[in-house]
Amino acid sequence: MALLVVKFDLKKRVKLAQTVWFMYWFAVLAGILVLSLGLFFKIELRKRSELMDNNESHFLPNVLIAMGLIACGINAFGGKVCYDSLDPTKFAKWKPMLKTFLVFCMGFNALLIVTSLLCFIMRIPLQFTLAEGLKNGMKYYKDTDTPGRCYMKRTLDLMQMEFRCCGNDNYRDWFEIQWVSNRYLDFSAKEVKDRIGSNVDGQYLMDGVPFSCCNPSSPRPCIQYQMTNNSAHYSYDHYTEELNVWRRGCRDALLSYYGGIMNTIGALVLLVAVTIGLQYVDTSLSTLANPEDMESESEGFLLEKTVKETFTDIMAKMKTMGKGAKVEEGGEEGVATVS
């Protein structure tokens, strides 16, 4: 017994074909949008690739670009078939390949669901990638004269200003590393000697942050040095006063930004899903009461048999194909032995 049977006359078949045609071309537009967002996501990640701990973060945008391209091709083909279904002579050339096309569409829809889930799940590994990448990037902030690292200061400063953030988790992360290059330190000064001598690793640590951490909206001039020394600034208490540097960590800011992009794309990917309407178009034309009379009634269905029977048939066909492959292998081995 067929699954989800629907009766059609000529008017309903035309309306069905037009509706499915529209849905296919809507999916083409969604595919173009997924492709565009995949490219945009890849460019955004590449902009700050030096702050990523690995190159695996580009896996998702590459998948999105591929899925967007495939979706455009599949849905454009489906739209063409629906358009030609209104003309029996044109539709006849597509009919032999429709079953294969629909099976391919089902597999593609499954991949779309997996891709959509990846967009939501990849937020977790991205969090660890950003944390480690930012930590390493901050260590290289001072290496402005070291080949391969001279760009890190500019990258971090631009990022902190753009995303209104400071440090990895917060602004205090800058207190734990030396972010001023030795070439700009006066080693004859007592303060520099004391700070380096008091540190086990011989680093020049201070309770200060780069200028890019300053909040320009603050009415008070930026206090970026001696931030924990109340006596160094007039009418200042770092425990109670609102600091005029960004309090938000850059890991959280970047994660929110990239996470928002991935969530948007994840929801959009589901709109690319190929419709099952083409199956109804195909079956409604195949079951015409009088094939020579296009105005005669017909029946369309989703599956020719029940879900259980369809699954049993598929498994039986797979077993037959497996046995056929084994027979061929056995025959080849026999030939090789004889020779």
Side-chain angles (χ1 to χ4, degrees):
M1 182 180 175
L3 182 67
L4 298 177
V5 179
V6 180
K7 289 191 176 182
F8 291 94
D9 54 20
L10 178 61
K11 187 177 179 180
K12 286 183 178 179
R13 281 195 300 273
V14 171
K15 192 172 183 180
L16 172 67
Q18 290 173 341
T19 302
V20 176
W21 175 87
F22 173 79
M23 293 178 73
Y24 267 116
W25 283 105
F26 175 80
V28 169
L29 294 176
I32 294 171
L33 198 52
V34 168
L35 171 63
S36 303
L37 285 172
L39 288 169
F40 172 74
F41 190 26
K42 189 175 180 67
I43 292 168
E44 286 296 298
L45 287 174
R46 193 172 288 278
K47 274 185 191 177
R48 302 170 189 91
S49 58
E50 58 268 21
L51 300 177
M52 304 288 177
D53 187 42
N54 55 53
N55 294 321
E56 295 172 7
S57 54
H58 292 279
F59 169 74
L60 183 58
N62 290 338
V63 170
L64 291 170
I65 291 168
M67 296 301 278
L69 285 170
I70 296 171
C72 290
I74 287 177
N75 288 298
F77 177 80
K80 173 63 176 172
V81 173
C82 287
Y83 181 81
D84 286 349
S85 67
L86 299 176
D87 186 342
T89 54
K90 291 182 179 180
F91 184 71
K93 65 180 179 182
W94 302 119
K95 192 163 180 56
M97 62 180 76
L98 277 186
K99 283 190 177 180
T100 305
F101 174 70
L102 290 169
V103 170
F104 182 76
C105 287
M106 289 173 64
F108 182 68
N109 284 339
L111 287 176
L112 285 174
I113 294 171
V114 172
T115 304
S116 180
L117 289 174
L118 277 176
C119 288
F120 298 106
I121 295 171
M122 286 295 286
R123 185 187 180 97
I124 299 171
L126 181 63
Q127 181 177 356
F128 295 105
T129 297
L130 285 171
E132 195 62 31
L134 284 168
K135 184 179 177 181
N136 293 331
M138 289 172 66
K139 288 179 183 177
Y140 303 144
Y141 182 88
K142 68 181 187 302
D143 299 338
T144 52
D145 53 353
T146 304
R149 299 178 185 172
C150 54
Y151 55 82
M152 191 57 74
K153 178 183 180 298
R154 180 178 180 275
T155 300
L156 283 168
D157 283 334
L158 289 174
M159 178 198 66
Q160 290 189 145
M161 289 187 289
E162 181 182 353
F163 290 94
R164 300 184 175 188
C165 59
C166 185
N168 192 342
D169 293 317
N170 55 60
Y171 68 92
R172 288 183 173 272
D173 293 331
W174 289 107
F175 297 178
E176 300 171 4
I177 60 169
Q178 178 181 337
W179 53 272
V180 178
S181 176
N182 287 338
R183 66 186 296 186
Y184 303 116
L185 296 175
D186 182 6
F187 287 93
S188 63
K190 184 179 182 302
E191 181 192 355
V192 175
K193 288 180 179 179
D194 290 343
R195 285 187 181 275
I196 293 176
S198 64
N199 183 260
V200 177
D201 298 324
Q203 292 185 333
Y204 180 76
L205 303 183
M206 59 180 177
D207 54 345
V209 297
F211 77 96
S212 53
C213 283
C214 293
N215 180 357
S217 301
S218 175
R220 180 169 188 160
C222 186
I223 297 175
Q224 63 181 108
Y225 297 108
Q226 297 185 349
M227 294 177 65
T228 59
N229 186 358
N230 293 335
S231 61
H233 312 283
Y234 176 73
S235 184
Y236 174 75
D237 184 353
H238 76 280
Y239 288 111
T240 59
E241 188 170 331
E242 183 71 25
L243 294 176
N244 50 8
V245 297
W246 303 116
R247 288 178 171 270
R248 190 183 192 188
C250 290
R251 178 180 61 175
D252 181 55
L254 286 173
L255 189 63
S256 296
Y257 176 67
Y258 289 131
I261 294 175
M262 289 191 293
N263 291 343
T264 302
I265 297 174
L268 182 65
V269 164
L270 296 178
L271 295 178
V272 183
V274 182
T275 62
I276 59 174
L278 188 58
Q279 170 69 0
Y280 279 103
V281 173
D282 180 29
T283 53
S284 65
L285 289 171
S286 301
T287 58
L288 284 170
N290 182 5
E292 296 180 359
D293 183 11
M294 289 299 295
E295 294 187 7
S296 61
E297 291 189 350
S298 62
E299 288 185 347
F301 47 81
L302 185 59
L303 293 175
E304 193 173 354
K305 300 178 183 178
T306 62
V307 175
K308 184 178 179 180
E309 290 172 339
T310 303
F311 180 76
T312 304
D313 288 347
I314 292 171
M315 293 303 294
K317 287 179 181 178
M318 289 177 67
K319 286 180 181 179
T320 304
M321 289 173 65
K323 288 179 181 179
K326 286 182 179 180
V327 170
E328 287 180 4
E329 287 178 4
E332 289 177 1
E333 289 178 2
V335 171
T337 305
V338 171
S339 60

